[in-house]
């Protein structure tokens, strides 16, 4: 039985799991993210190798942009010192194992494409709606990285030209309208008050309030989902995927908005398209990271 290490690196925590080829997780641990990151990561990986000397490879998913061929983190502004790190070369030298690294959203997409909601589909787009809007493309079981490691940056499709300023420096990017951050802004704009507290409703309860008929909540829900439907439609026009998988923190409340989204997408479809909820939650990045290297050993 092949076993590999899957590592999911986030801004505040790192999830490390020992995963077998079926996707079964043998061990799973979460540790805080500590800077400088690389020496800390190497130390944690070597500790896991002491406990599991039969590991055959290491897969890493990380926030930021990655050159998957060279294994270098090419863009990441919030983890100080991480940008420019040749993770693959350094960790392979330290461990003697094959190392593969990719963006965390790509890893989540690979988990869903190989093991999860989209395992029976050939062209898969995975959208993660959390604080920001992430994306990953898995075609015929492989992550599509693009020439510079920038494929799947769905959050930076321009949805509204000359619109809201994005953190990337451009205006009108889709994550300014479809994300947890966008939802919070819309709640403030429409002054959606939670009748139970008399205060602005917290984001994850917005859709529940809309389902009870609160007009301001309905307005926010419909603005948010309309923009989301356009993003999906635009992706279909370019990629002609057969499945979209939706995950991320905002998707935790999908029971209250899922049918509304499907209704809004339906008239925008150019071809048949399956839209599915992600099977994996927070473990998607770690599982997908493991799958990066599993087929290469």
């Amino acid at each position: 039985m092949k076993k590999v290490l899957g590592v999911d690196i986030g801004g505040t925590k790192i999830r490390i799991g020992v995963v077998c080829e079926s996707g079964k997780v043998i061990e799973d641990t979460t540790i805080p993210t500590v800077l400088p990151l690389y020496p800390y990561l190497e130390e944690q990986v070597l500790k896991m190798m002491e406990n599991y000397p039969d590991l055959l490879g290491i897969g890493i998913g990380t926030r930021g942009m990655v050159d998957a061929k060279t294994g270098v983190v090419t863009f990441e502004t919030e983890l100080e010192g991480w940008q420019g790190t040749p993770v693959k070369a350094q960790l392979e030298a330290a461990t003697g194992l094959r190392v593969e690294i990719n963006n965390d959203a790509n890893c989540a997409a690979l988990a869903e494409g190989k093991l999860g909601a989209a395992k029976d589909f050939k062209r898969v787009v995975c959208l993660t709606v959390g604080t920001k809007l992430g994306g990953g493309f898995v075609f015929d079981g492989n992550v599509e990285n693009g020439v510079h490691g920038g494929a799947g940056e769905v959050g930076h499709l321009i949805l509204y030209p000359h619109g809201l300023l994005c953190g990337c420096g451009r205006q009108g990017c889709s994550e300014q309208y479809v994300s947890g951050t966008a939802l919070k802004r819309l709640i403030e704009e429409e002054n959606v008050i939670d009748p139970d507290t008399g205060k602005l409703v917290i984001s994850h309860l917005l859709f529940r309030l809309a389902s009870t008929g609160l007009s301001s909540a309905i307005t926010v829900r419909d603005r948010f989902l309309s923009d989301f439907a356009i993003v999906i439609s635009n992706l279909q026009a370019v990629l002609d995927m057969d499945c979209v998988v939706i995950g991320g923190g905002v998707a935790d409340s999908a029971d209250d908005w899922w049918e509304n989204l499907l209704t809004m997408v339906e008239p925008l479809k150019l071809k048949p398209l399956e839209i599915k909820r992600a099977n994996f939650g927070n473990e998607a990045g770690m599982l997908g990271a493991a799958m990066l290297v599993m087929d290469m050993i």
Side-chain angles (χ1 to χ4, degrees):
M1 178 176 62
K2 292 194 294 186
K3 286 184 278 190
V4 302
L5 203 62
V7 183
D8 181 24
I9 299 172
T12 60
K13 58 187 178 181
I14 298 172
R15 190 166 182 172
I16 303 178
V18 177
V19 183
C20 66
E21 55 197 308
S22 67
K24 180 180 178 181
V25 179
I26 299 169
E27 181 166 332
D28 184 3
T29 185
T30 300
I31 56 177
T33 300
V34 174
L35 302 178
L37 183 51
Y38 178 77
Y40 175 69
L41 173 65
E42 182 180 303
E43 176 187 354
Q44 299 302 317
V45 167
L46 291 174
K47 283 182 181 179
M48 292 293 285
M49 290 178 64
E50 290 177 4
N51 295 329
Y52 293 90
D54 56 345
L55 288 171
L56 298 177
I58 303 164
I60 298 173
T62 178
R63 58 181 299 161
M65 293 178 65
V66 176
D67 184 327
K69 289 184 179 179
T70 64
V72 176
V73 179
T74 58
F75 182 79
E76 167 49 44
T77 59
E78 296 183 34
L79 293 174
E80 185 178 353
W82 190 229
Q83 181 172 310
T85 303
V87 181
K88 177 179 171 69
Q90 290 184 197
L91 200 55
E92 284 185 341
T95 63
L97 298 179
R98 178 155 188 165
V99 176
E100 298 295 332
I101 180 170
N102 214 306
N103 166 266
D104 52 2
N106 286 342
C107 290
L110 191 60
E112 294 295 342
K114 281 186 170 291
L115 304 170
K119 64 181 180 180
D120 296 323
F121 295 86
K122 291 186 176 182
R123 294 177 67 84
V124 177
V125 170
C126 184
L127 303 176
T128 52
V129 192
T131 304
K132 299 181 180 181
L133 176 62
F137 306 152
V138 176
F139 298 160
D140 296 318
N142 298 307
V143 172
E144 296 294 317
N145 292 301
V147 175
H148 304 291
E153 292 291 336
V154 174
H156 298 292
L157 292 172
I158 293 178
L159 185 62
Y160 288 99
H162 314 297
L164 295 168
L165 181 65
C166 182
C168 73
R170 302 182 306 161
Q171 290 177 283
C173 289
S174 58
E175 73 177 22
Q176 298 304 309
Y177 304 90
V178 183
S179 64
T181 301
L183 194 58
K184 184 177 180 181
R185 173 181 56 79
L186 289 170
I187 288 169
E188 293 173 354
E189 287 181 5
E190 296 294 336
N191 194 35
V192 184
I193 301 298
D194 186 337
D196 291 334
T197 66
K199 299 178 181 179
L200 287 173
V201 67
I202 55 179
S203 297
H204 75 271
L205 294 179
L206 178 280
F207 297 104
R208 179 63 53 86
L209 274 186
S211 68
T212 68
L214 183 66
S215 60
S216 58
I218 291 172
T219 298
V220 170
R221 180 194 67 191
D222 290 351
R223 286 177 63 185
F224 182 88
L225 295 180
S226 176
D227 286 340
F228 198 180
I230 292 169
V231 169
I232 292 171
S233 176
N234 286 343
L235 288 169
Q236 185 186 40
V238 176
L239 300 173
D240 191 22
M241 62 281 194
D242 52 359
C243 184
V244 172
V245 178
I246 298 172
V250 175
D252 292 343
S253 61
D255 285 347
D256 295 315
W257 56 261
W258 190 255
E259 292 303 321
N260 301 83
L261 176 65
L262 297 184
T263 298
M264 291 185 175
V265 171
E266 190 61 34
L268 301 179
K269 287 183 182 178
L270 296 168
K271 300 286 183 181
L273 178 65
E274 290 285 335
I275 302 177
K276 292 180 169 287
R277 293 168 67 169
N279 281 6
F280 303 117
N282 293 330
E283 68 179 353
M286 180 268 290
L287 282 173
M291 293 301 108
L292 285 174
V293 74
M294 186 68 76
D295 292 340
M296 299 182 178
I297 55 176

